[in-house]
Amino acid sequence: MASSYPLKPLSQPHNLHHVHTAEPHSEQKLLSRDDADLAHFGKRPQLRRYFGMVSIIGLTCTLMITWEGVLIVFAGGFTNGGPTGLVGGYLFSWGGTFLQVLVMSEMGSMIPLAGGQYNWVAILAPKSMNKFLSYLTGWITVIGWQAISASGALLCSTLIQGLAVLNNPTYVPTRWQATLIFYAITFLALLINTYLARLLPKIEATILVLHVLGFFGVLLPLVYLGPHGAPSTVFATFLNLGAWRSDAVSFFIGSVSTMFAFMGIDGATHMAEEIENAAAVIPRSMLVTVALNGALGFAMLLATLFCLGDLDAAMHSPTGFPFIAIFEGALQSAPGATALVALVLVTVVSATVGVLATCSRMIWAFARERGLPFSSYIARVEPRTALPLYSIGLTVVLNLLLALINIGSTVAFNALTGLTIASFYASFTIAAVVMLHKRLTTPESQFRWGPFRLGRWWGPPVYVAAIVYSVIGWFFSFWPPTAVELTAQTMNWSSVVFGGTLILAMGYWAVWARRVYTGPIVEVHMD
């Protein structure tokens, strides 16, 4: 049975609530506040709530790995923007992400369900449109998280190969070796997400400490030992190496690189049904994450730009990562640079654990509503461990299959990584537009507000600004890095892949999904 849920006013919180399950002859049960929030939207608790404030901040901070990500994507931003463009692009991305977080915090606090954007659209969209729009949003979000999961593991494998080149210049990296490393990293993430799942919150809290300490472990030697450039070099040097006709176009294309460093900010929303006091913790964790990671990332970016050294050697480093050459130049030592890169590598590998957990929960939540093929299997939860093992397994299998593409062509696989920004920004935009429409057409008294609320007057402007930013990011995520010598190797194929996956989703809709997908399925009824 499907239903469009009315947004009833939020009453004063109570410790226990009465609920009836949808099955006949079910007994009345008493639920905690978290489970009552689920029941309000027709859902019964299936997963265990292991995560608290610190552990979920650990997951989201180390999933985003912003200061590490700034180093990894340095070349793309430098090509289009140079030092000044990178600084401006980072601030633009940080500010835009903060706007997105404000919007998601309000919706995640109102509707703390694991489907995130999909659930928000399903519940808030007009009844005539919520079925199709929520289906489309669910597919886009699933595709985006699967792309993040696969591309993150590939970044780890290529970074390991870069370290090998640094310490053995005669080593020639091959794609099949990168794929095997990819497999090893994926199986490590699988082990932690299954056999060690009960320890995942503690593991994420520990990784958060490594994330912060690793930042200082890299920053201090770099600043103390590296060469120091003039402020004008950093703040007054814009480069348009992509040869675009307009510096503005070059700036926005370069900004896509820094946008990538903020991917995964919605991770807490997809872990909602495993967080204690989710309605309050989700917005707090996202706000802390974007503030902390944004500050660390900006400091690392400035330190790297001031300590560039030999720019030409860095941009043409045989390791494939300019920051590795920058570290080596600053320390004048390959072993010293290896130590710093190893700190980055540990946190990047650790991020694959949180990404796998988050991606699998999104897939599980969407399959719960029969939005995917074989949903009845994917949505199963293993009763002993209360883990969605089938969705975890599916995420891993898809990663392993996608990694095979890399053996044949890095261009094809890199097109997959371009899906991350396009998919997240698209799903966010749909949800934000739906909520903005709801705000403008529905009396305030009819909303079931959560603990976090933007307010009557601040809400609409924040939503409009976040939507504008997201549309800009989505649009430029499809552009190639250079306007000259455009070939199959330099083309940005993410637009083709994004369009192809949407065609696949629409094909499944036409053939089968429109018959079985009815939107959120009501599993329980609240008194």
Side-chain angles (χ1 to χ4, degrees):
M1 172 182 174
S3 174
S4 179
Y5 303 106
L7 292 177
K8 299 178 181 179
L10 183 62
S11 59
Q12 293 299 316
H14 301 286
N15 291 330
L16 298 173
H17 300 258
H18 292 283
V19 65
H20 294 279
T21 60
E23 290 80 9
H25 311 298
S26 61
E27 295 183 357
Q28 190 179 49
K29 299 179 180 180
L30 294 176
L31 295 182
S32 67
R33 176 59 187 271
D34 280 320
D35 292 345
D37 282 340
L38 290 181
H40 178 84
F41 298 109
K43 296 302 174 187
R44 58 187 174 88
Q46 299 185 61
L47 310 178
R48 292 175 184 165
R49 296 185 182 271
Y50 289 128
F51 284 89
M53 174 65 80
V54 174
S55 55
I56 199 62
I57 290 175
L59 184 141
T60 51
C61 277
T62 58
L63 187 155
M64 284 176 60
I65 54 170
T66 303
W67 71 262
E68 301 91 335
V70 164
L71 294 173
I72 292 172
V73 300
F74 182 87
F78 199 91
T79 299
N80 284 290
T84 304
L86 266 172
V87 172
Y90 185 91
L91 294 175
F92 174 69
S93 301
W94 189 8
T97 303
F98 183 72
L99 292 171
Q100 292 176 332
V101 164
L102 289 175
V103 172
M104 290 189 293
S105 293
E106 183 171 75
M107 290 191 286
S109 182
M110 290 173 60
I111 309 169
L113 299 177
Q117 296 93 319
Y118 148 76
N119 283 124
W120 305 337
V121 172
I123 294 169
L124 297 170
K127 189 175 181 180
S128 61
M129 304 173 63
N130 68 341
K131 179 179 175 180
F132 177 75
L133 281 182
S134 62
Y135 172 83
L136 180 63
T137 305
W139 265 88
I140 292 174
T141 310
V142 166
I143 291 167
W145 272 101
Q146 190 65 56
I148 293 175
S149 183
S151 58
L154 181 68
L155 283 175
C156 294
S157 61
T158 53
L159 187 55
I160 291 173
Q161 288 185 306
L163 269 179
V165 172
L166 174 64
N167 290 276
N168 181 12
T170 62
Y171 168 67
V172 179
T174 61
R175 291 194 293 269
W176 68 266
Q177 291 171 338
T179 300
L180 290 180
I181 299 172
F182 178 108
Y183 280 13
I185 293 168
T186 300
F187 284 126
L188 174 63
L190 175 63
L191 173 67
I192 296 175
N193 273 275
T194 50
Y195 288 102
L196 301 178
R198 290 178 63 90
L199 299 176
L200 185 58
K202 294 181 179 179
I203 292 173
E204 293 296 345
T206 302
I207 296 172
L208 175 61
V209 175
L210 294 176
H211 173 66
V212 176
L213 294 181
F215 165 80
F216 290 104
V218 171
L219 183 76
L220 296 179
L222 179 63
V223 172
Y224 184 74
L225 298 174
H228 295 165
S232 60
T233 303
V234 176
F235 299 113
T237 306
F238 187 93
L239 300 177
N240 182 359
L241 301 181
W244 295 98
R245 294 183 179 180
S246 166
D247 284 348
V249 172
S250 179
F251 170 80
F252 284 118
I253 294 175
S255 296
V256 172
S257 297
T258 52
M259 291 176 188
F260 183 81
F262 286 98
M263 285 295 97
I265 189 60
D266 60 325
T269 66
H270 302 300
M271 301 297 291
E273 296 175 40
E274 295 166 79
I275 301 173
E276 295 180 359
N277 194 20
V281 168
I282 287 173
R284 293 172 188 168
S285 66
M286 288 198 292
L287 289 168
V288 170
T289 296
V290 74
L292 176 61
N293 268 17
L296 297 183
F298 189 57
M300 184 60 70
L301 175 62
L302 290 179
T304 305
L305 291 174
F306 271 103
C307 301
L308 277 178
D310 189 342
L311 175 60
D312 187 66
M315 295 299 290
H316 297 90
S317 172
T319 65
F321 294 94
F323 82 92
I324 296 181
I326 294 172
F327 286 178
E328 185 181 19
L331 274 65
Q332 293 295 306
S333 166
T338 299
L340 297 190
V341 177
L343 293 175
V344 177
L345 180 62
V346 168
T347 54
V348 174
V349 171
S350 300
T352 62
V353 176
V355 170
L356 175 57
T358 308
C359 180
S360 62
R361 270 48 167 197
M362 177 59 213
I363 290 176
W364 168 77
F366 195 42
R368 179 171 59 176
E369 318 295 358
R370 299 194 292 255
L372 297 171
F374 309 107
S375 288
S376 60
Y377 294 98
I378 300 171
R380 291 180 180 179
V381 175
E382 202 280 320
R384 184 178 59 86
T385 61
L387 289 173
L389 294 180
Y390 284 84
S391 64
I392 293 174
L394 176 62
T395 303
V396 169
V397 169
L398 290 176
N399 278 353
L400 299 181
L401 293 176
L402 289 171
L404 295 176
I405 300 175
N406 186 59
I407 297 178
S409 171
T410 56
V411 175
F413 193 90
N414 289 338
L416 178 67
T417 66
L419 281 176
T420 56
I421 295 174
S423 297
F424 172 71
Y425 280 25
S427 63
F428 170 83
T429 300
I430 295 173
V433 168
V434 165
M435 179 59 178
L436 179 61
H437 175 268
K438 190 79 172 180
R439 271 178 159 273
L440 297 177
T441 59
T442 305
E444 292 273 313
S445 59
Q446 295 185 23
F447 279 86
R448 183 184 185 271
W449 297 108
F452 182 88
R453 180 183 174 186
L454 290 175
R456 179 180 180 182
W457 301 110
W458 283 105
V462 169
Y463 274 77
V464 171
I467 291 168
V468 170
Y469 165 78
S470 300
V471 171
I472 292 173
W474 177 84
F475 177 70
F476 283 102
S477 70
F478 297 126
W479 287 53
T482 177
V484 296
E485 299 180 1
L486 196 60
T487 66
Q489 297 297 317
T490 60
M491 177 65 181
N492 185 344
W493 292 97
S494 59
S495 58
V496 177
V497 179
F498 184 79
T501 52
L502 288 185
I503 292 173
L504 177 64
M506 292 302 97
Y508 180 64
W509 170 265
V511 174
W512 183 251
R514 63 188 177 90
R515 303 174 185 175
V516 299
Y517 176 81
T518 56
I521 298 173
V522 176
E523 300 168 343
V524 297
H525 298 283
M526 285 281 290
D527 281 351

